[in-house]
């Protein structure tokens, strides 16, 4: 197959036993460098590259088993066309020629009526710049399809950073090893940021104190010196309480505040409203714990020692996620922690990656058109809408790639109803027959990371990586790029950009009119390149904000009629506000899954065993629930059934529906997103997966 596919002019697939350098494609801050051992054209092992400092030769359990995924017996190996009712999962094989021809014909017919009735749906199934939004974006831009607001993961936190620090920027992760105090805030690092955890271990050996702030007593929280189990959605209140204590104890770097921040008098006034007793009431933690945390943070300033915060995206999937991120991001400027390379904070480093998105995605192909923008979080509602002046045309076609919305989008009862529409034309590019693929009219087999070219930035370190194909595409699988090139050809489009091969697209990613920002030859030689980011980027201020300062007060937010200062924004569904649904539910990922990826890898699913709801002993006792009891978890949006696990990981009043199980592999063909809502965050139009009230009861009905 490869000879007819424009993957690369210089691709040479391994014949004897060789190691091929690649990059992990998954949505994880670590972006590891991979070494794939290939023997006679077969990938036999995937390991961490020991030459890449951020990887250090170590991969997580999930990706160590990547060959199991690429050669999975249930891999889709040829194009499939639906033969049964929607959702029945009944398909028959068809040729690529027939599949692409029929899909192009259907899209052309819809586009002639209104191209905005066609909607792309994609996210971070691969983080690769080429196999995500390069040729695909060109295709949809030329078509004039609806645009997709891709905000389902990190948008609130990202916007919070932009409004405070000026971009998705922060500390270099390696310097956490030198910090004296590390706050791990909203992150189960051992499960989802493993390589950062290595730096924490180093700091711990050097005597640093490690504190975890998380509603759940995670594997990470267990290994820290202290765990602060606050209620979900109250992180901004805790950050404001810390500011209160920094102010009243004068643990403040006045010179840094004076020279490098904006809005201090206003923030000071706001923070003084948050004494530890008020914080304790909102967060559900002892006031003394708030004081003690502030003392630890403030003493680093007093002693001239670096304090570092590793924030992760868990805490921003609530109504006030943007404000919470802003509040936390203000802390290092108050104590001048940014003066040290081991001080400050890190949520995301992706703002440092010099991607030329315009060259990759070619928005000029829109040719002046401005299609409507649909938010991916509200796909459940949007698929059920009719045409209207406000909404525009009813959605007639959905092209899904790098995503599994039937399992991962909120309020999945509505998502399923929408996907089940017989009048909806759905194409899914996939490796496996996921919950979403079950509803496709066509499933097109996509290559895995071992089979295609790509380039990657990272959001947890400041290296960029190249992924070379290690093996030929399995079966008739094709890279996403090739599939969209094929569709473009059948649409009759002749623009030269639709002929770019994948290696050209890789080179385009970091090219700029004034010169390449990354030496592509270095990527070809080593597999990675380190970006020239300063060690202590904000030691002298120079934040990438409009003012050049850390913006405690954001004039940009105020100009939009929003609060210019960070504040505690209560959850849409705040604990204690519903008699019917008294428990707050969060849905963090099960340790051996990554969102909905890997759920079908048997060896990993066997470790997780089955969907579980963690519940505190008091809440379980009050409901007659013990470990192993099948429970019904429900709210106004629906219900799902799982096994209960009475667990010290849960605090009273909060339950954990670990995710994200494929619906068809859970009980009754549902999963936790049956209960989550389509509400949005305060900033960034993000999701509120962890802002969800439920009730739990023992269920004696037999599992189906
Ligand atoms: S999922 Fe994360 S830790 Fe695992 S290999 Fe990929 S980048 Fe590394």
């Amino acid at each position: 197959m490869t000879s007819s596919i424009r993957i690369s002019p210089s691709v040479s697939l391994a014949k004897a036993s060789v190691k091929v350098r690649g990059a992990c494609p998954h949505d994880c801050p670590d972006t590891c460098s991979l070494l794939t051992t290939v023997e006679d054209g077969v990938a036999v092992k995937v390991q961490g590259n020991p030459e890449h400092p951020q990887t250090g030769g170590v991969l997580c359990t999930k990706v160590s088993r990547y060959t199991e995924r690429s050669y999975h017996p249930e891999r889709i190996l040829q194009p499939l066309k639906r033969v049964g009712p929607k959702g029945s999962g009944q398909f028959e094989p068809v040729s690529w020629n027939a599949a692409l021809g029929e899909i192009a014909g259907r899209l052309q017919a819809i586009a002639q009526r209104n191209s905005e009735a066609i909607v792309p749906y994609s996210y971070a199934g691969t983080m690769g710049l080429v196999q995500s939004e390069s040729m695909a974006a060109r295709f949809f831009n030329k078509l004039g399809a609806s645009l997709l607001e891709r905000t389902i993961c990190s948008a609130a936190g990202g916007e919070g950073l932009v409004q405070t620090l000026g971009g998705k920027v922060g500390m270099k992760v390696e310097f956490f090893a030198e910090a004296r105090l590390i706050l791990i805030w909203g992150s189960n690092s051992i499960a989802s940021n493993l390589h950062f955890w290595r730096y924490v271990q180093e700091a711990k050996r050097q005597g640093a104190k490690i504190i975890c702030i998380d509603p759940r007593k995670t594997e990470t929280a267990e290994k820290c010196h202290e765990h602060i189990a606050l209620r979900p959605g109250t992180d901004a209140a805790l950050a404001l309480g810390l500011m209160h204590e920094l102010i009243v104890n004068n643990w403040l770097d006045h010179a840094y505040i004076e020279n490098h921040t904006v809005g201090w008098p206003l923030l000071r006034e706001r923070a003084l409203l948050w004494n530890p007793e008020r914080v304790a009431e909102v967060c559900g933690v002892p006031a003394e714990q708030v004081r003690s945390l502030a003392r630890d943070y403030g003493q680093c300033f007093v002693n001239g020692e670096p304090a570092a915060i590793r924030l992760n995206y868990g805490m921003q999937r609530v109504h006030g996620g943007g404000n919470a991120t802003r509040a936390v991001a203000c802390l290092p400027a108050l104590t001048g922690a940014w003066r040290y390379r081991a001080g400050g904070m890190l949520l995301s480093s992706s703002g440092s990656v010099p991607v030329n998105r315009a060259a990759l995605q070619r928005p000029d192909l829109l040719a002046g058109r401005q299609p409507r923008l649909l938010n991916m979080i509200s796909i459940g509602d949007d698929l059920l809408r009719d045409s209207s002046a406000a909404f525009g045309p009813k959605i007639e076609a959905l092209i899904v790639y790098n995503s599994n919305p039937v399992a991962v989008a909120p309020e999945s009862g509505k998502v399923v109803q929408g996907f089940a529409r017989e009048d909806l034309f759905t194409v899914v590019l996939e490796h496996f027959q996921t919950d979403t693929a079950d509803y496709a009219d066509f499933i097109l087999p996509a290559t895995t990371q071992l089979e295609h070219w790509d380039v990657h930035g990272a959001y947890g370190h400041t290296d960029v990586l190249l992924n070379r194909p290690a093996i030929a595409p399995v079966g008739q699988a094709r890279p996403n790029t090739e599939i969209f090139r094929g569709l473009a050809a059948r649409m009759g489009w002749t623009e030269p950009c639709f002929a770019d091969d994948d290696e050209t697209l890789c080179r385009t990613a970091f090219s700029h009119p004034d010169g390449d920002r990354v030496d592509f030859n270095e990527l070809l030689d080593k597999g990675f390149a380190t970006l020239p980011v300063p060690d202590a980027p904000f030691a002298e201020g120079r934040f990438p904000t409009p003012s050049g300062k850390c913006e405690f007060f954001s004039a940009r937010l105020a100009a939009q009629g929003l609060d210019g200062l960070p504040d505690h924004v209560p959850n849409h569904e705040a604990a204690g506000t519903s008699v019917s649904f008294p428990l707050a539910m969060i849905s963090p990922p099960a340790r051996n899954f990554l969102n909905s990826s890997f759920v079908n890898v048997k060896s990993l699913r066997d470790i997780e065993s089955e969907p579980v709801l963690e519940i505190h002993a008091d809440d379980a006792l009050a409901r007659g629930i013990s470990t192993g009891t099948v429970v019904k978890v429900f709210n106004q949006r629906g219900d799902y059934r799982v096994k209960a696990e009475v667990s010290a990981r849960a605090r009273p009043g909060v339950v954990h529906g670990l995710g994200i199980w494929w619906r068809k592999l859970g009980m009754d063909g549902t999963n936790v997103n049956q209960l989550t809502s389509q509400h949005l965050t305060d900033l960034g139009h993000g999701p509120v997966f962890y802002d969800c009230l439920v009730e739990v009861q023992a269920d004696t009905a037999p599992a189906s």
Side-chain angles (χ1 to χ4, degrees):
M1 288 304 300
T2 54
S3 59
S4 64
I5 292 177
R6 280 161 288 170
I7 295 174
S8 161
S10 63
V11 66
S12 69
L13 297 168
K15 293 277 183 262
S17 180
V18 290
K19 290 193 173 177
V20 181
R21 292 193 192 91
C24 175
H26 290 286
D27 189 358
C28 167
D30 297 21
T31 313
C32 289
S33 175
L34 308 181
L35 278 184
T36 302
T37 304
V38 182
E39 292 177 358
D40 296 326
V42 177
V44 295
K45 193 191 282 184
V46 177
Q47 298 166 283
N49 180 359
E51 290 168 10
H52 182 230
Q54 301 292 353
T55 305
V58 177
L59 301 180
C60 63
T61 313
K62 301 176 280 265
V63 174
S64 303
R65 303 181 185 200
Y66 206 81
T67 54
E68 201 181 324
R69 192 169 187 278
S70 287
Y71 294 122
H72 195 294
E74 291 163 12
R75 183 91 189 265
I76 294 169
L77 300 177
Q78 56 195 323
L80 299 173
K81 181 177 178 180
R82 178 168 69 93
V83 291
K86 279 271 172 118
S88 66
Q90 296 168 41
F91 296 92
E92 66 179 14
V94 288
S95 69
W96 271 109
N97 199 32
L100 294 178
E102 188 171 336
I103 294 166
R106 294 286 297 263
L107 296 181
Q108 270 171 331
I110 296 169
Q112 274 168 10
R113 293 192 295 277
N114 192 333
S115 56
E116 292 179 40
I118 301 167
V119 178
Y121 197 98
S122 67
Y123 198 66
T126 172
M127 297 290 286
L129 294 163
V130 169
Q131 300 303 338
S132 57
E133 307 307 328
S134 66
M135 198 57 75
R138 293 177 183 186
F139 179 84
F140 291 111
N141 284 336
K142 171 73 181 171
L143 190 59
S146 288
L147 301 173
L148 186 71
E149 197 170 27
R150 293 179 171 83
T151 56
I152 202 163
C153 177
S154 59
E159 186 63 12
L161 281 189
V162 167
Q163 294 295 341
T164 314
L165 306 181
K168 290 183 166 183
V169 290
M171 290 175 60
K172 288 172 116 170
V173 67
E174 52 267 40
F175 296 133
F176 276 86
E178 300 169 10
R180 296 297 295 165
L181 172 70
I182 299 176
L183 308 186
I184 301 178
W185 201 319
S187 172
N188 183 4
S189 308
I190 291 176
S192 59
N193 195 187
L194 184 64
H195 296 77
F196 159 73
W197 183 249
R198 290 185 316 157
Y199 298 123
V200 175
Q201 295 291 87
E202 177 59 26
K204 206 171 169 186
R205 279 193 290 275
Q206 302 299 323
K209 183 169 183 181
I210 318 296
I211 301 174
C212 183
I213 302 169
D214 196 315
R216 181 173 182 246
K217 190 168 189 181
T218 60
E219 297 90 336
T220 306
E222 283 174 337
K223 292 195 164 47
C224 292
H225 294 106
E226 187 180 343
H227 173 215
I228 300 178
L230 77 181
R231 290 193 184 104
T234 63
D235 303 78
L238 181 61
L240 287 160
L242 296 186
M243 292 180 204
H244 180 281
E245 291 302 284
L246 297 177
I247 293 165
V248 300
N249 291 290
N250 196 26
W251 295 323
L252 297 168
D253 185 334
H254 292 283
Y256 195 92
I257 293 170
E258 172 71 24
N259 293 322
H260 305 309
T261 71
V262 170
W264 168 233
L266 293 169
L267 181 66
R268 183 177 185 281
E269 199 179 319
R270 171 75 52 91
L272 285 174
L273 300 173
W274 286 90
N275 64 41
E277 282 67 31
R278 182 181 177 199
V279 174
E281 199 175 317
V282 171
C283 299
V285 300
E288 183 44 42
Q289 199 167 32
V290 180
R291 287 198 178 85
S292 154
L293 178 64
R295 199 177 309 124
D296 285 332
Y297 197 70
Q299 285 305 305
C300 282
F301 163 71
V302 172
N303 297 332
E305 295 174 333
I309 301 172
R310 181 61 167 108
L311 202 59
N312 213 338
Y313 285 116
M315 55 81 84
Q316 49 92 67
R317 294 191 189 113
V318 294
H319 184 194
N323 267 271
T325 305
R326 273 184 45 65
V328 175
C330 290
L331 291 169
L334 290 173
T335 60
W338 289 117
R339 292 184 188 276
Y340 308 92
R341 70 180 192 175
M345 69 167 282
L346 175 65
L347 169 58
S348 171
S349 56
S350 67
S352 305
V353 185
V355 184
N356 187 344
R357 289 191 203 282
L360 275 180
Q361 301 178 357
R362 299 294 304 271
D364 55 294
L365 292 165
L366 283 167
R369 293 167 294 176
Q370 291 185 312
R372 66 175 170 187
L373 181 65
L374 297 179
N375 187 300
M376 66 190 307
I377 296 157
S378 57
I379 188 69
D381 278 342
D382 288 347
L383 283 176
L384 299 176
R385 290 187 213 278
D386 279 324
S387 302
S388 71
F391 180 62
K394 182 176 183 174
I395 298 174
E396 293 186 52
L398 201 57
I399 316 295
V400 182
Y401 52 105
N402 304 334
S403 187
N404 182 8
V406 171
V408 306
E411 204 170 353
S412 47
K414 286 188 175 174
V415 180
V416 168
Q417 206 184 330
F419 269 84
R421 275 176 41 200
E422 283 291 339
D423 64 339
L424 179 72
F425 179 62
T426 304
V427 179
V428 177
L429 284 60
E430 253 304 349
H431 304 141
F432 301 106
Q433 196 169 326
T434 60
D435 290 332
T436 304
D438 278 345
Y439 289 88
D441 291 282
F442 281 96
I443 309 176
L444 302 179
T447 45
T448 69
Q449 189 77 343
L450 300 190
E451 301 150 55
H452 56 227
W453 284 90
D454 218 326
V455 283
H456 292 253
Y459 65 97
H461 59 69
T462 47
D463 293 350
V464 295
L465 293 88
L466 174 70
N467 186 76
R468 288 171 179 267
I471 56 173
V474 175
Q476 296 181 28
R478 293 184 179 180
N480 289 350
T481 44
E482 179 64 11
I483 295 172
F484 285 106
R485 270 192 292 263
L487 283 173
R490 279 158 185 82
M491 302 291 274
W493 299 339
T494 53
E495 286 84 349
C497 71
F498 290 111
D500 284 351
D501 63 55
D502 285 7
E503 189 179 326
T504 302
L505 291 168
C506 287
R507 290 176 183 274
T508 301
F510 303 125
S511 67
H512 288 261
D514 56 350
D516 292 353
R517 300 289 165 79
V518 175
D519 180 353
F520 199 76
N521 289 329
E522 189 180 352
L523 290 180
L524 287 170
D525 288 346
K526 285 199 316 182
F528 65 91
T530 299
L531 296 169
V533 176
D535 284 355
F538 309 126
E540 303 295 330
R542 294 200 276 269
F543 291 89
T545 52
S547 64
K549 300 183 178 193
C550 176
E551 298 196 344
F552 297 155
F553 181 84
S554 167
R556 289 175 291 171
L557 288 178
Q560 295 170 44
L562 301 171
D563 191 348
L565 291 172
D567 203 355
H568 167 58
V569 176
N571 279 359
H572 292 289
E573 300 182 5
T577 58
S578 168
V579 176
S580 304
F581 308 117
L583 298 170
M585 184 183 76
I586 59 174
S587 43
R591 182 170 177 175
N592 291 283
F593 304 154
L594 205 158
N595 299 325
S596 72
S597 299
F598 298 103
V599 180
N600 65 325
V601 175
K602 188 170 181 313
S603 66
L604 295 169
R605 191 168 73 246
D606 285 349
I607 300 171
E608 295 296 335
S609 155
E610 60 193 336
V612 156
L613 184 89
E614 294 174 346
I615 184 167
H616 187 270
D618 293 351
D619 295 321
L621 185 66
R623 292 164 176 79
I625 291 167
S626 358
T627 293
T629 304
V630 174
V631 294
K632 177 173 144 182
V633 191
F634 61 100
N635 63 16
Q636 68 275 30
R637 288 176 288 274
D639 61 77
Y640 86 118
R641 291 198 303 152
V642 284
K643 288 258 180 81
E645 185 174 313
V646 180
S647 171
R649 293 201 190 283
R651 55 161 289 152
V654 182
V655 293
H656 314 143
L658 302 184
I660 303 174
W661 282 79
W662 288 14
R663 290 166 63 87
K664 58 186 165 188
L665 296 176
M667 279 185 201
D668 302 335
T670 58
N671 72 12
V672 68
N673 282 320
Q674 199 81 5
L675 277 61
T676 53
S677 81
Q678 298 178 67
H679 292 308
L680 299 180
T681 51
D682 53 349
L683 302 177
H685 305 165
V688 297
F689 289 113
Y690 302 171
D691 179 346
C692 178
L693 290 179
V694 302
E695 177 56 298
V696 180
Q697 67 184 35
D699 190 324
T700 50
S704 58

